[in-house]
Amino acid sequence: MTTASFKPVAEQLAYLKKGSAEIIREAELQSKLEKSAKTGKPLRVKLGVDPTAPDIHLGHTVVIRKLKHFQDLGHTAVFLIGDFTAMVGDPTGQSETRPPLSREQVAANAKTYLEQVFKILDRDKTEVRYNSEWLDKLTSYDIVRLCAKYRVARMLEREDFHKRLTEQQPISMHELLYPLIVAYDSVVLEADVELGATEQKFNLLMGREIQREYGQESQVCMTMPILVGLDGQRKMSKSLGNYVGITETPNEIFGKMMSIPDDLMWSYYELVTDRTPGEIASIKREVADGTLHPMDVKMRLAQEVIAGFHGENAARKAADNFQRIFRDRQAPEEAPVKKASLDGTKKLTALLVELQLVASKSEAIRLIEQGGVEIDGVRVDDARRDIDLSKPGEFLLRAGKKKFLRLVVE
């Protein structure tokens, strides 16, 4: 077996600490990195994910990107698909018992999930495992033996369980088993490090304890912060609508990224790019002294995020498109085209509704009065304006900041 060579431990540690919320314990991580450097043996770094939904957004990528950082440094990235545990259901943050998923649902979600994950991780260097490999084979004796290694009282100290008990909400027995089962995953995989979001801290710490119970050296736990969504206030979530889906089009991602508050972009640089702390600090200084404009820095951030999922070319096109629409107030190159038959004159307000550029005539009137409607780049000031559709021709319509349409009359 060939041994690997690694960067100096101090350099590795600085890169790995970037953006992390907590390392339990940092001295242990340093010791593991030193041992790895001496022996040439990579650390085994585990990230377990229950594929409860098929798609992932930028918030999910924060911890996946940290796994990539370990992979970049030459360590073994172990991406664990919790196909068994997804059918049990993670009780973390749950106020009630949630229905388990079927094996078929989990398998379908896992396939889609992996396709997206490999936009970040190196497919050829990632060890992908499914915990059904070993959990399906546990005997009743094995499960009882595992349960004997942890006390119920300590399990019920967990915040979400304690809250549900206090509020007299039911807790099912399988939910108490969940943290033990994911901890057992660390035993089987002989994890040196386990990654997770801050809300997963209890499960990660459980892994440390159960490894010791099975005679292994405890894993280091590294938690990553929750990414704040586009609204700048709440965690990124599909249900809150403040998310960036990594399978969205480059133009959609670019527009969403440009909507985040200026002060939030620094945590995005830290959590969803590979920039080093030194590089981020340098950009921050240039913004502070006026050398760089915050809009340009945010555009750079949007391009870097898109390049990671869709490639450099797509990122550059999305930036050019944004420049045309929002800075130069031109139509996007791919503005949709609609055809209209020759038909005398028509009220502009009625036409905007007919073309679905606005929801109602009252909205059209309000938009025109606010200066938000243009025809061929010229602002319309009169809400009573008629449009001549009696001759063949073409109009470029803009309604609001983002809606463009080429109307071809023939």
Side-chain angles (χ1 to χ4, degrees):
M1 176 179 152
T2 56
T3 57
S5 59
F6 302 96
K7 289 183 177 180
V9 170
E11 193 178 326
Q12 289 191 65
L13 203 55
Y15 187 50
L16 295 171
K17 283 169 68 176
K18 186 193 87 148
S20 64
E22 191 175 9
I23 300 173
I24 306 168
R25 301 190 165 90
E26 189 177 320
E28 290 178 23
L29 177 58
Q30 183 171 338
S31 174
K32 284 177 184 283
L33 289 170
E34 287 168 352
K35 183 179 177 183
S36 173
K38 283 178 186 173
T39 61
K41 184 181 178 184
L43 297 182
R44 291 181 58 76
V45 187
K46 167 197 171 192
L47 171 60
V49 175
D50 289 350
T52 52
D55 294 316
I56 64 178
H57 56 61
L58 210 53
H60 297 129
T61 69
V62 172
V63 70
I64 300 169
R65 189 168 291 281
K66 185 53 62 181
L67 184 61
K68 176 186 182 291
H69 292 165
F70 275 97
Q71 191 174 65
D72 289 343
L73 293 170
H75 299 291
T76 304
V78 183
F79 191 81
L80 175 65
I81 296 284
D83 56 336
F84 183 98
T85 40
M87 294 187 291
V88 176
D90 185 358
T92 303
Q94 300 297 316
S95 57
E96 57 186 30
T97 303
R98 65 186 185 189
L101 297 177
S102 69
R103 197 176 284 270
E104 290 72 29
Q105 285 174 302
V106 172
N109 289 349
K111 185 174 183 295
T112 315
Y113 210 100
L114 272 178
E115 287 168 4
Q116 295 168 56
V117 164
F118 287 134
K119 288 178 180 286
I120 301 169
L121 298 176
D122 184 329
R123 185 187 297 265
D124 297 328
K125 294 180 181 177
T126 305
E127 183 180 322
V128 178
R129 302 292 293 274
Y130 294 80
N131 62 9
S132 61
E133 290 175 37
W134 50 88
L135 294 178
D136 272 349
K137 297 170 186 171
L138 286 182
T139 65
S140 303
Y141 172 80
D142 294 329
I143 293 169
V144 170
R145 184 167 166 250
L146 176 61
C147 290
K149 297 183 184 296
Y150 206 80
R151 297 191 298 279
V152 173
R154 286 203 59 195
M155 186 76 77
L156 295 178
E157 288 170 5
R158 178 177 168 146
E159 186 180 347
D160 31 27
F161 288 153
H162 181 73
K163 188 171 184 289
R164 280 157 69 179
L165 270 179
T166 305
E167 295 174 357
Q168 297 187 321
Q169 295 294 320
I171 301 171
S172 296
M173 284 298 296
H174 74 279
E175 292 181 279
L176 297 178
L177 277 175
Y178 184 92
L180 280 167
I181 290 171
V182 294
Y184 186 72
D185 290 340
S186 291
V187 174
V188 174
L189 293 172
E190 298 182 333
D192 293 302
V193 180
E194 182 171 14
L195 308 175
T198 48
E199 59 192 15
Q200 294 292 328
K201 183 177 175 179
F202 183 95
N203 292 343
L204 271 58
L205 289 174
M206 177 81 85
R208 278 174 67 85
E209 291 200 37
I210 297 302
Q211 279 182 311
R212 280 198 299 268
E213 290 288 337
Y214 280 85
Q216 290 183 11
E217 186 178 295
S218 290
Q219 65 187 15
V220 168
C221 303
M222 184 180 286
T223 61
M224 298 299 293
I226 303 295
L227 188 69
V228 175
L230 301 176
D231 55 6
Q233 297 175 345
R234 300 169 295 179
K235 72 178 272 190
M236 186 172 283
S237 163
K238 276 201 167 183
S239 60
L240 295 174
N242 63 352
Y243 71 98
V244 178
I246 72 167
T247 56
E248 291 182 281
T249 66
N251 287 341
E252 284 177 305
I253 295 175
F254 205 101
K256 285 186 173 185
M257 292 296 294
M258 295 305 294
S259 75
I260 65 174
D262 287 355
D263 59 353
L264 187 62
M265 67 179 169
W266 303 117
S267 74
Y268 275 58
Y269 262 111
E270 195 170 40
L271 298 175
V272 298
T273 78
D274 292 331
R275 292 224 176 227
T276 65
E279 287 174 322
I280 297 168
S282 176
I283 298 169
K284 227 173 178 176
R285 279 194 300 273
E286 289 185 75
V287 170
D289 65 22
T291 307
L292 281 173
H293 192 283
M295 170 77 85
D296 295 320
V297 176
K298 207 186 291 183
M299 286 184 74
R300 190 187 296 177
L301 169 66
Q303 277 190 259
E304 288 184 23
V305 168
I306 293 165
F309 303 128
H310 296 282
E312 295 283 353
N313 194 39
R316 199 162 42 249
K317 282 185 178 177
D320 292 344
N321 196 55
F322 182 86
Q323 179 86 13
R324 286 170 59 84
I325 299 172
F326 293 95
R327 284 197 161 176
D328 303 337
R329 296 173 68 81
Q330 296 178 38
E333 290 181 357
E334 70 277 16
V337 176
K338 281 199 177 181
K339 294 183 178 180
S341 302
L342 297 170
D343 185 25
T345 59
K346 183 170 283 190
K347 288 288 182 192
L348 175 59
T349 50
L351 184 63
L352 291 173
V353 174
E354 188 180 306
L355 295 172
Q356 298 180 338
L357 289 171
V358 294
S360 64
K361 286 186 181 179
S362 60
E363 184 185 335
I365 292 168
R366 185 170 63 252
L367 199 57
I368 291 169
E369 290 174 347
Q370 291 171 350
V373 175
E374 290 180 358
I375 298 177
D376 292 332
V378 179
R379 192 168 73 185
V380 178
D381 296 317
D382 186 0
R384 295 169 296 176
R385 167 99 176 249
D386 289 326
I387 301 297
D388 184 4
L389 301 177
S390 63
K391 301 172 187 173
E394 182 179 314
F395 301 97
L396 175 63
L397 299 173
R398 178 179 72 84
K401 289 182 178 179
K402 299 182 182 180
K403 291 187 178 178
F404 287 87
L405 186 140
R406 294 187 189 280
L407 179 65
V408 179
V409 184
E410 57 184 25

